[in-house]
Amino acid sequence: MAFNIGLSGLRAANADLSVTGNNIANVGSAGFKQSRAEFADLYAASVHGLGSSPRGSGVQQPHIAQLFYQGNINDTQNPLDLAINGNGFFVTKDGGEISYTRAGYFKADNQGYIVNNFNQRLQGYRADSEGRLQNGVLGDLQIAKGNHEPKASSRIEWNFNLDSSKASPTAWQNAYDEHLKANPDDKAGALEAANKTFNPKDPASYNHSTSIELFDSQGNSHHLTQYFVKTGQGQWQMKTLIDGRSPTNPESTEAAMVSLEFDSAGRLDTSKLAASGGISVGPGGLLKLEGWIPAHADGGTPPKWSANGSAAAAEGIQMDLRQSTQFASAFGVNSQSQNGYSTGQLSGVEIDERGMIFTRYTNGMTKLQGQVALADFANVQGLTALGKTSWAQTLESGEAVIGAPSSGTLGKLHSHALEDANIELSEQMVNLIVAQRNYQANAKTIETESAITQTLINLR
């Protein structure tokens, strides 16, 4: 009997050594979870289960448990290196086989799919071509490697202040006064004569100017410049040129024009807006530039301007300057924006703590490519290890609960980071010593039983 007891102890100690050795061997494996050998005693059952003091029959090893507590998170230089801080597993797929892992070594393959070191594809919620997330259906996450297509500008917003203390430009005022002196009742003619003094190359012919970049359908960059000329108390003219040319006729330098009028509080009176030269006044005081012909100049002297073959936004360019003011302070543009952009090349990838994958482009734009999904289980101890630092679902683990990082009980995601194995090396070395001593002690049990048996055999 003692032989069997000692042998069971040897097996148990050997299993403990194997488990501890495996932990030590994987101390550098990202996402690895240490194991623990769990033992229980054995007793021989008496007849009908009776008997108050059954004799022990050794030790059994009913289970090797994996401890899924958090490992340390270390920063890396790779944006596709991912670490989970909290509950959850990455979902990976190889053909039709699904597995779960905490090892966040990921990269993009030659087709742009996000894969781990074993070419298993990371699963998540994909985005369509417009960057809209397709929630609810898991798929292979992929990073589009093509260029970001350009977008023609269709909306411009300004918030500027015109200096109410400014006088009209001298040339403008002189032309107005001279015409009115010769024609006392012809204010319209005087205004027309004064307007002819505007010259975008002569800063003295206008009070203020500002410029904003906009784009045509091919992503070509253009500059829309606004020139402001004070024409009376609270009254201004805003003259618009694109690349120094008329918006609707590249062969002309005649500016499109909008008449602005401000109330006594310095606010723009949108009910008194008037426009011409391709600009119209829409509902609510929104302006719209229609008929813009994107143009370019040849290399001649002087250069000749003509259409460049691209187009403006089909819906025109909406221009919103309703928040603009006329106060007695220096001219300034408080804010301006437009929604067009040029062609962009892929310059980087970013993943936030919710698992949102964004590609960044040289044109300053970003695009959503998808969202990493995480899985959790009612009983993680019920998962079965597959090797490659991955696990498979079983009946004991229960069905995988899939969701986005930071939702429910799922942890946050860290990009540029990897989770270390949750192994304390010094603790494992102590366990190794203990397992070795247990092995030696059980070997001593067998040795002692052998000596006793030999003594009995030698009796005469």
Side-chain angles (χ1 to χ4, degrees):
M1 189 65 175
F3 281 113
N4 290 333
I5 294 173
L7 185 59
S8 69
L10 285 177
R11 291 186 183 128
N14 188 61
D16 200 8
L17 283 168
S18 296
V19 170
T20 304
N22 188 59
N23 289 340
I24 294 172
N26 283 282
V27 70
S29 298
F32 179 80
K33 300 304 175 184
Q34 68 166 294
S35 299
R36 178 180 66 196
E38 298 178 347
F39 305 101
D41 55 4
L42 275 172
Y43 280 89
S46 59
V47 178
H48 302 301
L50 300 177
S52 60
S53 300
R55 186 166 53 177
S57 300
V59 63
Q60 61 178 322
Q61 180 202 328
H63 189 57
I64 294 179
Q66 289 202 288
L67 309 181
F68 285 92
Y69 59 82
Q70 182 73 44
N72 293 329
I73 293 177
N74 286 323
D75 293 337
T76 70
Q77 301 300 314
N78 180 10
L80 293 180
D81 281 346
L82 301 175
I84 302 169
N85 187 8
N87 297 333
F89 297 81
F90 299 111
V91 185
T92 58
K93 188 175 183 180
D94 185 4
E97 183 180 354
I98 299 290
S99 58
Y100 306 91
T101 183
R102 296 276 295 198
Y105 290 114
F106 293 108
K107 58 189 175 184
D109 66 11
N110 58 4
Q111 299 178 66
Y113 288 105
I114 301 177
V115 299
N116 62 15
N117 290 338
F118 305 101
N119 288 319
Q120 297 169 325
R121 292 179 178 178
L122 181 63
Q123 301 296 291
Y125 307 116
R126 301 183 65 172
D128 62 17
S129 59
E130 299 299 321
R132 295 185 292 259
L133 199 63
Q134 307 297 297
N135 287 313
V137 180
L138 287 184
D140 301 337
L141 291 175
Q142 186 178 24
I143 297 173
K145 294 190 175 182
N147 290 340
H148 193 282
E149 293 186 0
K151 178 183 178 182
S153 302
S154 62
R155 182 176 179 85
I156 305 175
E157 295 183 3
W158 289 280
N159 180 348
F160 52 78
N161 178 69
L162 301 174
D163 189 351
S164 63
S165 64
K166 290 286 185 179
S168 299
T170 301
W172 188 97
Q173 191 65 56
N174 289 342
Y176 184 88
D177 292 343
E178 288 175 6
H179 184 91
L180 203 59
K181 184 177 180 179
N183 305 277
D185 297 321
D186 187 14
K187 290 186 177 180
L191 188 60
E192 182 179 354
N195 287 341
K196 291 180 180 179
T197 64
F198 169 71
N199 179 359
K201 296 181 180 179
D202 180 10
S205 69
Y206 51 88
N207 297 92
H208 311 298
S209 68
T210 183
S211 182
I212 189 171
E213 186 179 28
L214 71 161
F215 299 90
D216 61 30
S217 61
Q218 295 178 0
N220 296 304
S221 173
H222 304 267
H223 286 86
L224 181 148
T225 306
Q226 309 279 33
Y227 302 89
F228 299 94
V229 179
K230 189 171 185 180
T231 60
Q233 196 70 24
Q235 296 177 331
W236 296 76
Q237 284 183 349
M238 183 179 76
K239 301 176 184 292
T240 300
L241 293 172
I242 299 179
D243 297 331
R245 317 303 294 179
S246 168
T248 57
N249 182 8
E251 297 180 3
S252 170
T253 58
E254 184 176 352
M257 189 172 69
V258 179
S259 296
L260 310 176
E261 190 166 333
F262 296 85
D263 61 22
S264 58
R267 303 294 179 182
L268 181 64
D269 188 343
T270 57
S271 67
K272 295 181 180 180
L273 290 171
S276 62
I279 299 178
S280 60
V281 181
L286 287 172
L287 303 174
K288 180 177 280 191
L289 172 60
E290 297 180 288
W292 171 42
I293 301 175
H296 69 132
D298 63 15
T301 306
K304 183 179 180 180
W305 286 80
S306 60
N308 68 1
S310 62
E315 65 271 33
I317 301 176
Q318 189 180 79
M319 301 192 298
D320 186 357
L321 43 80
R322 294 174 295 179
Q323 301 303 313
S324 299
T325 58
Q326 181 206 239
F327 297 143
S329 59
F331 169 76
V333 178
N334 300 317
S335 65
Q336 64 178 20
S337 63
Q338 61 84 36
N339 64 347
Y341 43 81
S342 63
T343 305
Q345 295 179 324
L346 182 64
S347 63
V349 178
E350 297 175 358
I351 303 177
D352 67 16
E353 66 180 21
R354 298 175 301 146
M356 295 292 190
I357 305 171
F358 296 94
T359 44
R360 187 175 62 253
Y361 298 88
T362 54
N363 59 2
M365 303 302 295
T366 59
K367 185 176 181 180
L368 179 64
Q369 300 288 331
Q371 184 180 26
V372 178
L374 298 182
D376 202 7
F377 299 87
N379 175 26
V380 294
Q381 292 288 337
L383 294 172
T384 183
L386 298 176
K388 302 177 182 177
T389 324
S390 63
W391 294 267
Q393 174 183 311
T394 67
L395 287 174
E396 290 185 12
S397 69
E399 291 288 331
V401 179
I402 308 293
S406 300
S407 67
T409 60
L410 295 172
K412 295 181 179 180
L413 213 59
H414 289 262
S415 178
H416 295 85
L418 289 171
E419 181 188 6
D420 289 344
N422 63 349
I423 294 171
E424 177 58 50
L425 190 56
S426 59
E427 177 185 336
Q428 295 302 310
M429 296 303 293
V430 171
N431 290 345
L432 196 65
I433 295 170
V434 171
Q436 179 188 15
R437 289 183 176 176
N438 290 342
Y439 192 96
Q440 291 172 336
N442 281 282
K444 195 68 176 177
T445 298
I446 295 175
E447 180 184 348
T448 302
E449 180 67 15
S450 176
I452 294 171
T453 303
Q454 189 62 42
T455 301
L456 290 173
I457 291 172
N458 291 335
L459 287 176
R460 289 179 171 81

